[in-house]
């Protein structure tokens, strides 16, 4: 009879997320993961099979907990138009100014392992598609229908770029400049 797991899977995934966030997918070593998750090698492999499977589960968790918050903000029926869009980008600027430089795990995956791994790319693209749909939802009262898909993709690209740039210490001013440009663009659609 197999022994029951002696750890909480959700807690282990949260801990793995921190390791991947700090080191990136490629640079997160097995010892980093074992230490960060407080697991033995056998427990990690038995529960998650391998590093890639673990990362895919972490990305799914990230999508639920982090991308889901952005989607909820942008899809709120009581807050439509540019207000939720600008609010989302404002949170990025405030986080960087407060010293948060981990960026976005999803965006790091897009710029890293998704470039060479089709499974990781598929999971990451589903999250980005959700974000793009949420931008379209937010803008449906302010932007003509024929312009929304392209504008939503532009905002997704801007979001990914800002989140990747936020990993660098000196980017708060650049992010504020991008936010100012988005605010200026929003005035053209009001």
């Amino acid at each position: 009879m197999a022994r029951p797991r002696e750890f909480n899977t959700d807690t282990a995934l949260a801990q793995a997320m921190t390791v991947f966030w700090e080191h990136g997918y490629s640079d997160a070593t097995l010892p980093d993961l074992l230490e960060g998750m407080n697991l033995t090698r056998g427990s990690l492999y038995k529960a998650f099979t391998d590093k890639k499977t673990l990362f895919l589960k972490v990305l799914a968790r990230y999508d639920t907990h982090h991308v889901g918050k952005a989607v909820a903000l942008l899809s709120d029926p009581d807050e439509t138009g540019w207000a939720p869009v600008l609010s989302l980008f404002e949170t990025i600027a405030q986080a960087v100014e407060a010293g948060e430089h981990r960026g976005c795990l999803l965006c790091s995956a897009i710029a890293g392992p998704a470039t060479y791994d089709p499974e990781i790319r598929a999971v990451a693209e589903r999250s980005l598609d959700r974000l793009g749909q949420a931008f379209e939802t937010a803008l449906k009262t302010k932007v003509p229908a024929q312009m929304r898909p392209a504008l939503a993709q532009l905002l997704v690209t801007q979001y990914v770029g800002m989140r990747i740039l936020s990993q660098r210490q000196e980017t708060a001013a650049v992010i504020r400049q991008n936010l100012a440009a988005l605010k200026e663009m929003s005035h053209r659609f009001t």
Side-chain angles (χ1 to χ4, degrees), residues 36-72:
M37 297 169 71
N38 197 27
L39 294 179
T40 65
R41 180 184 302 256
S43 293
L44 185 138
Y45 284 123
K46 186 173 182 181
F48 303 108
T49 310
D50 57 24
K51 178 180 168 180
K52 179 178 162 182
T53 303
L54 173 61
F55 187 67
L56 290 169
K57 289 181 184 288
V58 164
L59 279 180
R61 187 179 195 283
Y62 188 87
D63 180 75
T64 299
H65 293 281
H66 296 278
V67 177
K69 285 182 186 175
V71 168

Side-chain angles (χ1 to χ4, degrees), residues 15-173:
Q15 293 165 328
M17 183 183 304
T18 299
V19 173
F20 285 124
W21 226 335
E22 289 173 359
H23 297 280
Y25 174 74
S26 297
D27 292 337
T29 65
L30 180 60
D32 293 331
L33 289 163
L34 295 176
E35 181 181 332
M37 297 169 71
N38 197 27
L39 294 179
T40 65
R41 180 184 302 256
S43 293
L44 185 138
Y45 284 123
K46 186 173 182 181
F48 303 108
T49 310
D50 57 24
K51 178 180 168 180
K52 179 178 162 182
T53 303
L54 173 61
F55 187 67
L56 290 169
K57 289 181 184 288
V58 164
L59 279 180
R61 187 179 195 283
Y62 188 87
D63 180 75
T64 299
H65 293 281
H66 296 278
V67 177
K69 285 182 186 175
V71 168
L73 172 68
L74 294 169
S75 302
D76 182 350
D78 296 329
E79 283 288 328
T80 60
W82 284 93
V85 172
L86 295 174
S87 177
L88 177 63
F89 284 101
E90 178 66 32
T91 62
I92 297 169
Q94 288 175 355
V96 170
E97 290 166 347
E100 173 58 61
H101 295 285
R102 292 184 302 178
C104 168
L105 187 63
L106 169 65
C107 299
S108 296
I110 287 292
T115 62
Y116 58 82
D117 188 290
E119 287 179 85
I120 294 173
R121 181 174 41 254
V123 169
E125 285 178 353
R126 277 194 298 274
S127 291
L128 289 181
D129 288 346
R130 283 183 65 213
L131 191 58
Q133 289 297 316
F135 278 123
E136 281 193 58
T137 298
L139 296 174
K140 70 180 175 187
T141 62
K142 297 293 181 184
V143 176
Q146 69 274 16
M147 293 181 70
R148 275 197 301 268
L151 185 54
Q153 286 308 305
L154 175 68
L155 291 169
V156 167
T157 302
Q158 187 71 18
Y159 177 86
V160 171
M162 286 176 76
R163 297 291 287 184
I164 289 173
L165 281 175
S166 71
Q167 296 174 352
R168 296 179 29 211
Q169 299 283 339
E170 67 278 359
T171 59

